[in-house]
Amino acid sequence: MDDTSTRRRGLFRPRNLITLAAGAALVATTLVVPGTASANTTLRAAAAAKGRYFGAATSSFMFSDTQHVTILNREFNSIVAENEMKWDATEPNQNQFTFTGGDRLVAHARANGMSVRGHALVWHAQQPRWAQNLSGTALRNAMINHITRVATHYRGQIHSWDVVNEAFADGGSGGRRDSNLQRTGNDWIEVAFRTARAADPTAKLCYNDYNTDGVNAKSTGIYNMVRDFKARGVPIDCVGFQSHLGTGLASDYQANLQRFADLGVDVQITELDVAQGSSQASIYERVTRACLAVTRCTGITVWGVRDSDSWRRGENPLLFDGNGNKKPAYTAVLNALNSGSGPNPTTPPPTTTPPPTGGGACSAAVTLNSWNGGFTASIRVTAGNAPLTGWTVSVTLPGGAAVTSAWNATNTGTTGTVAFRNVSYNGQLGAGASTEFGFQGTGVGPTATPTCQAA
Ligand code: G3I
């Protein structure tokens, strides 16, 4: 299961202690940086002025905590679910999905001008019990179904998804972590990314990990994977550096971010928290400055709001104390954001499937994600020049292929030419409007363009 103890041991490597003296000097520098009349007074405004987001992990049950939510809304323009979008939370029983907590977070973000990071589609930890007990093809198919359903549910509402979390081993191997997912085959990560892209072509798709805070064996293993993915066209857009830090920071923290950015992906600081101590503020400052100095570093997320909200109980690793007061670390980050001169990120949006064109009452376009022995298909239905009150899309499957499940449509038949009919909530489409449904199948996916008929 979780490897918190391993991670915590990693936080206090001697390497981290060496930078303490330099860190203390930086605190002094920060404290004498004068605020200017035009300096932004909140993290979200200061980050936005630099073209970045500044986010925090939270939970929907915290929305009834007035102090927490006041700080959250004032200071942050991005949120991430600390736990509520994970596999155990969203699919407690196989193929039964609950989105209550995550939906509340998304609604809160919308109401308060925030974007949402999605965390995390697949991870060896926090799997529901039923998934822990699966292996092989059954687990692979369950993973694909999970990613498809969750990313489809939140389609268009997530800035960046942590598609795969913590898949690399600690220590010097630079290789993959052993897990039930890893044992389904080394291609599980790329299948996860392709599946996520098919389900939500607008979200940036990230690989996310910890103990990657400099050039080391683990970060290099991930670097090699990202380079390989980019070379082979596996859809990856970003790499998350969790940055659960101790009392020191690797001197090549920024250089490490930059080498990933140079591969053509965005980088994000995704779970920042720093052990208490005299170097805390300076480490926060240096991480912030590092992000500002890397053009493709698009945002920073801290893993909680107040020290009392943190998973690192007793370490007081966040920007606000247990009473909601701003700590020196907060001031250090705000000053760094206000004074940083990093260029604004200019990143291309992820590739999206162009909408189908042409006349007729409706049309359908398919995006296919295939692997050895199976596939998922996302189908975009677009109304023609007149509104629709219902639609049926016919898809012809090659011999041996069969539909195993469908979402946002009901199917008649599972082999040969399969008809997918709209469900109650997506049959009505205005002229030119579109909607999406999908299905999963065994065998080889459809190769011909589906046909669409208005009801
Ligand atoms: O919800 C149950 C509750 O019903 C039960 O009574 C209680 C008893 O222990 O447990 C509750 O679940 C806990 C859950 O947090 C929600 O509070 C789990 O035990 C606990 O293990 C879980 O911890 C989370 C941890 O991930 C799980 O691995 C932390 O809150 C969360 O901060 C932490 O976040 C991870 C990131 O997802 C990935 N990177 C590392 C980071 C820190 O470990």
Side-chain angles (χ1 to χ4, degrees):
M1 277 294 290
D2 195 12
D3 52 342
T4 302
S5 58
T6 305
R7 181 176 310 128
R8 291 190 177 203
R9 277 198 300 277
L11 294 174
F12 302 108
R13 289 186 297 269
R15 182 197 73 190
N16 291 336
L17 295 173
I18 292 165
T19 54
L20 208 101
L26 281 166
V27 171
T29 307
T30 301
L31 293 176
V32 296
V33 168
T36 62
S38 61
N40 286 294
T41 56
T42 64
L43 301 173
R44 61 182 287 168
K50 293 295 188 302
R52 269 82 175 177
Y53 66 80
F54 208 97
T58 187
S59 303
S60 65
F61 66 83
M62 296 302 297
F63 294 161
S64 57
D65 180 326
T66 311
Q67 186 181 75
H68 177 100
V69 88
T70 299
I71 300 170
L72 188 71
N73 294 351
R74 185 186 71 221
E75 299 289 344
F76 300 97
N77 58 1
S78 167
I79 52 176
V80 58
E82 184 169 0
N83 289 298
E84 289 162 294
M85 289 193 188
K86 293 173 180 175
W87 198 346
D88 61 349
T90 51
E91 195 181 358
N93 300 300
Q94 187 163 18
N95 221 19
Q96 286 179 6
F97 291 84
T98 60
F99 296 113
T100 320
D103 285 356
R104 288 192 64 201
L105 256 83
V106 170
H108 186 89
R110 269 199 185 159
N112 293 282
M114 301 164 166
S115 60
V116 181
R117 290 198 87 258
H119 175 81
L121 288 171
V122 267
W123 185 21
H124 66 276
Q126 279 183 285
Q127 293 179 3
R129 179 75 56 193
W130 63 264
Q132 292 174 35
N133 291 334
L134 293 181
S135 62
T137 306
L139 177 60
R140 175 65 66 92
N141 286 337
M143 175 191 86
I144 290 164
N145 187 51
H146 178 76
I147 294 170
T148 301
R149 295 292 298 275
V150 176
T152 298
H153 179 82
Y154 288 113
R155 183 185 182 116
Q157 304 185 78
I158 303 293
H159 176 287
S160 300
W161 261 116
D162 290 333
V163 176
V164 172
N165 193 43
E166 303 179 6
F168 275 73
D170 291 306
S173 75
R176 299 282 182 87
R177 170 196 299 280
D178 178 51
S179 71
N180 58 348
L181 290 163
Q182 181 61 30
R183 277 176 248 126
T184 67
N186 209 46
D187 64 340
W188 74 275
I189 298 182
E190 61 187 270
V191 169
F193 275 86
R194 290 188 201 280
T195 306
R197 177 67 98 230
D200 185 353
T202 59
K204 299 226 178 200
L205 305 182
C206 303
Y207 175 81
N208 190 50
D209 216 326
Y210 67 91
N211 276 352
T212 52
D213 314 308
V215 176
N216 57 37
K218 185 173 179 179
S219 64
T220 298
I222 296 164
Y223 176 88
N224 290 336
M225 177 188 75
V226 175
R227 186 173 56 184
D228 171 56
F229 279 12
K230 294 298 283 184
R232 292 192 293 112
V234 178
I236 185 167
D237 306 307
C238 38
V239 176
F241 297 81
Q242 293 185 11
S243 306
H244 295 294
L245 299 171
T247 53
L249 183 68
S251 57
D252 55 0
Y253 184 88
Q254 180 183 320
N256 189 47
L257 298 181
Q258 187 64 59
R259 72 168 173 156
F260 277 84
D262 291 344
L263 291 175
V265 288
D266 289 348
V267 295
Q268 301 168 347
I269 315 304
T270 51
E271 302 183 16
L272 181 60
D273 50 19
V274 182
Q276 66 187 335
S278 59
S279 56
Q280 185 178 61
S282 76
I283 291 173
Y284 265 109
E285 176 190 349
R286 290 162 63 196
V287 169
T288 306
R289 287 187 183 279
C291 181
L292 291 178
V294 175
T295 306
R296 293 197 72 147
C297 183
T298 58
I300 299 173
T301 298
V302 287
W303 205 243
V305 175
R306 299 165 302 189
D307 286 337
S308 48
D309 302 327
S310 173
W311 70 293
R312 292 168 73 175
R313 290 280 151 159
E315 292 190 76
N316 299 325
L318 293 172
L319 299 176
F320 296 86
D321 70 19
N323 294 318
N325 299 311
K326 296 169 181 173
K327 295 165 60 180
Y330 170 92
T331 310
V333 170
L334 184 64
N335 285 344
L337 289 171
N338 277 325
S339 63
S341 56
N344 287 345
T346 49
T347 55
T351 319
T352 54
T353 313
T357 55
C362 61
S363 57
V366 62
T367 304
L368 202 58
N369 170 41
S370 301
W371 61 94
N372 194 14
F375 65 91
T376 57
S378 291
I379 299 195
R380 175 165 287 265
V381 181
T382 304
N385 296 330
L388 294 183
T389 54
W391 46 261
T392 300
V393 170
S394 297
V395 179
T396 301
L397 298 176
V403 174
T404 51
S405 64
W407 50 96
N408 297 337
T410 49
N411 54 305
T412 303
T414 57
T415 58
T417 298
V418 182
F420 293 88
R421 178 97 170 92
N422 65 272
V423 286
S424 59
Y425 53 83
N426 63 6
Q428 296 202 337
L429 291 176
S434 60
T435 188
E436 294 241 345
F437 73 94
F439 61 97
Q440 183 171 340
T442 53
V444 176
T447 51
T449 305
T451 59
C452 184
Q453 205 173 11

